Amino acid sequence: MNLLTEPIGAAHYLAVGAVLFVCGAVCMATKRNALGILMGIELVLNGANLNFIAFGSRLLHADGTPSIGLDGQLIALFVIVLAAAEAAVALAITLNFYNNHSTVDVDRADELKG
Amino acid sequence: MADFFINHWGWWPWLSNLLAGFIQCNLLLLVPFVGAMFFVWVERKVSARIQDRLGPTRTGGKFGWLQLLADGLKLITKEDLMPGGADRLLFKLAPYVSFVFSYATLMALPFANGWVALPMNVGVFFIIAVLGLEVFGVILAGYSSASKWSLFGAMREAAQVVSYEVPLGLCIVTPCLIAGSLDLITIAQQQSGWLTNWYIFHDPFTFIIFWVYFTCATASVNRAPFDLAEAESELVAGFHTEYSGFRWLAFYMAEYGSMFTVAGLGAILFFGGWNGPIPIMHWLGWAYTPDETHWRTLGYLANLLGCLNFIGKCVLGVMVMIWVRWTLPRLRIDQVMKTCLKYCTPIAAVMFVGAAVWTYAFPGGIWLKSSTPTGEVRESAFADGNNNEALMTSQQSASTVAKDEAR
Amino acid sequence: MNWHTVYFLLFSLTACGFALAVVLSSNIVRMAFYLVLSLGATAGLFFLAGADFIGAMQLLIYVGGTLVLLVFGVMLTAQSPFISMKTHGGDWILAAIVGGSLLAILMQSAFSMPQWRVGPATADQATIATPTTTIVGEGLLGVRVDAMADASAAQQAGVLSGYLLPFEIVSVHLLVVLIGAAYLARAKRRRVLREAEA
């Protein structure tokens, strides 16, 4: 209960980020639907973003001196934009796969299997 | 309001905060509820007159103004149907998702100087972001209804809304560029004064951008010539085919609430918001000057009249949308997409560049005299809540350095 | 237990709960919807941490753009409900073991540094925030306004130059990527027809 009564610091944000990251990683590992894997990637990126924001936030550190300052927010911004680009490409690949194989099950993508 | 409760009546802080928030939320909730009902009545009357008939004339006397109450009662008492193959959770959730996002945009919309539920300095940005999220309610409704027409209508509508966000964003950014701030109150206050202070008259590019904004806003709320996704002759009723009763009412309120929001946004960005064509309040000395912090009765009255002015402009905007709906024929979906990608986006982009060049070439405007010079607006963006002197001077020196570099 | 803690708990439980729901659900459309809610709650966490501009960007780009794209993809590749793509039990157990151990390591390291655990001194400090839009915008233009006060130390650390080059690179990158994605996903009906004839 000590964790709840103390003021919210960066560690709490890191914990939430860790949960999101692990959920995303498990999602990437277990889903058979290609779009499910893509959703896992989005969760992973968001977990990492939370980390950056937490370290760059003035409100979560004692006496208002964050460890990386504005850089954290700007890196998170670039991650968001690049995640959008990567989601577009992943979706294009998935659509292409669907057009050729009429399924999005990644277990059926074994034509290159040796 | 919370301070009033705490200081004057000595209540507990958490209770007064909660109560103040509750009251303000309810006041805002009146806007989609009452507004939707009022606009339904207006639409029926206006469309009737355009089509050379009379509209509702029986319920409530000569003008049929109780028709809206009758409509509301009917919708609430209707049987709650759900298609057999529908995804139950998503079916029930979709209208509320749509309504919540439509209502959330109203939270950032200021109705008078300082009268805004959520004072944000990124108000414009927040409204654009949340307007784009409304499409989720539509997609969920279309998917979960387990009906062909719903799915087609929903996907078409989602594609349309998402495509029109691009020129809409460009159109919205232009007045923000001229004002130098993303805060809606600041943008509206910059246009206080005479009619010529309004941004629509600032330069010819902004004038054209307003018409592109109106087109994109109409497409964004799926109204008027762009309502293929919910047209009766095309897809039964599109994504809300399988909805009836209160769930349909939630969608309807979301749609009219969004119409009100985009009309209000247009009023603030281009028509000066609550500042009237003639600065009466400033002449009388009733309006708040930028330095004032104390609450005055006459200032409150000036704000109230400004709020009525703003609502009047919103209603005018919505009436023009209704008028356009019943005048112009419907566009096909490929025509809708063509309008967005081949006409609206390039025009908006070129006008944006033109407005930017104009602002650079004539910094104060030619015939426009803002209430505060743009430089001062940009400086004040660095002020923090504590008015931290060291922070402000260091950042002011930084911005002067930036200005020197830009020159 | 001040308001900051309450809101933090609200947003973080929503984000984590719906992220877990994404993992455990088997219906792809519901997964997409839960992801929307999870990322929306993450945007709320960004707002709480004082990054209001980034929170708004998360809502606008990530939730309003990327996830809408994802949902479109889900709809376009929708398969009949009888085809079930469930994961086998053995895979779940393995994933749970690996995920659980990773979570344990990350949690332990998150709470290990005492400097990270110390929050702001008073409750007031937790909620007053300077607006970050102008600072972030100026940073993207190459002027690091927040480092101006201590310019020499900042120059030595190399942070004075701003983010103009990454900004331009990302803009061109987005353009290239989107053109490529549109080309990749174009309809190739003629080829399928020829294969069907052959």
Side-chain angles (χ1 to χ4, degrees), chain B residues 87-153:
Chain B
D87 189 339
R88 299 185 76 85
L89 176 69
L90 296 181
F91 187 84
K92 289 182 187 175
L93 214 50
Y96 303 118
V97 166
S98 230
F99 181 71
V100 157
F101 286 131
S102 167
Y103 177 65
T105 56
L106 280 172
M107 286 203 293
L109 196 69
F111 282 78
N113 189 7
W115 285 13
V116 60
L118 270 183
M120 285 185 282
N121 73 327
V122 285
V124 168
F125 199 22
F126 181 80
I127 290 186
I128 300 181
V130 178
L131 270 182
L133 293 177
E134 235 184 286
V135 75
F136 277 115
V138 169
I139 294 180
L140 281 176
Y143 166 75
S144 61
S145 297
S147 144
K148 275 195 276 302
W149 293 296
S150 305
L151 194 59
F152 284 170

Side-chain angles (χ1 to χ4, degrees), chain B residues 31-94:
Chain B
V31 174
F33 284 177
V34 173
M37 291 282 101
F38 173 68
F39 287 136
V40 166
W41 175 75
V42 164
E43 169 145 20
R44 287 176 77 158
K45 282 303 220 180
V46 167
S47 68
R49 291 287 172 169
I50 291 179
Q51 294 172 345
D52 202 19
R53 54 187 174 89
L54 285 175
T57 49
R58 294 190 190 274
T59 48
K62 206 166 75 152
F63 294 106
W65 57 273
L66 271 183
Q67 181 71 38
L68 46 102
L69 201 63
D71 277 339
L73 272 176
K74 173 201 79 170
L75 284 168
I76 294 176
T77 55
K78 252 189 168 179
E79 180 186 356
D80 187 18
L81 293 168
M82 196 183 301
D87 189 339
R88 299 185 76 85
L89 176 69
L90 296 181
F91 187 84
K92 289 182 187 175
L93 214 50

Side-chain angles (χ1 to χ4, degrees), chain C residues 117-177:
Chain C
R117 290 185 66 163
V118 179
T122 60
D124 289 332
Q125 265 190 353
T127 45
I128 292 180
T130 53
T132 56
T133 312
T134 317
I135 303 178
V136 168
E138 297 259 0
L140 284 175
L141 283 178
V143 178
R144 288 300 302 268
V145 176
D146 57 318
M148 282 293 175
D150 197 8
S152 57
Q155 205 160 29
Q156 282 183 345
V159 288
L160 204 57
S161 63
Y163 279 79
L164 186 57
L165 182 61
F167 187 51
E168 296 298 327
I169 291 179
V170 159
S171 315
V172 178
H173 172 89
L174 263 179
L175 178 68
V176 169
V177 160

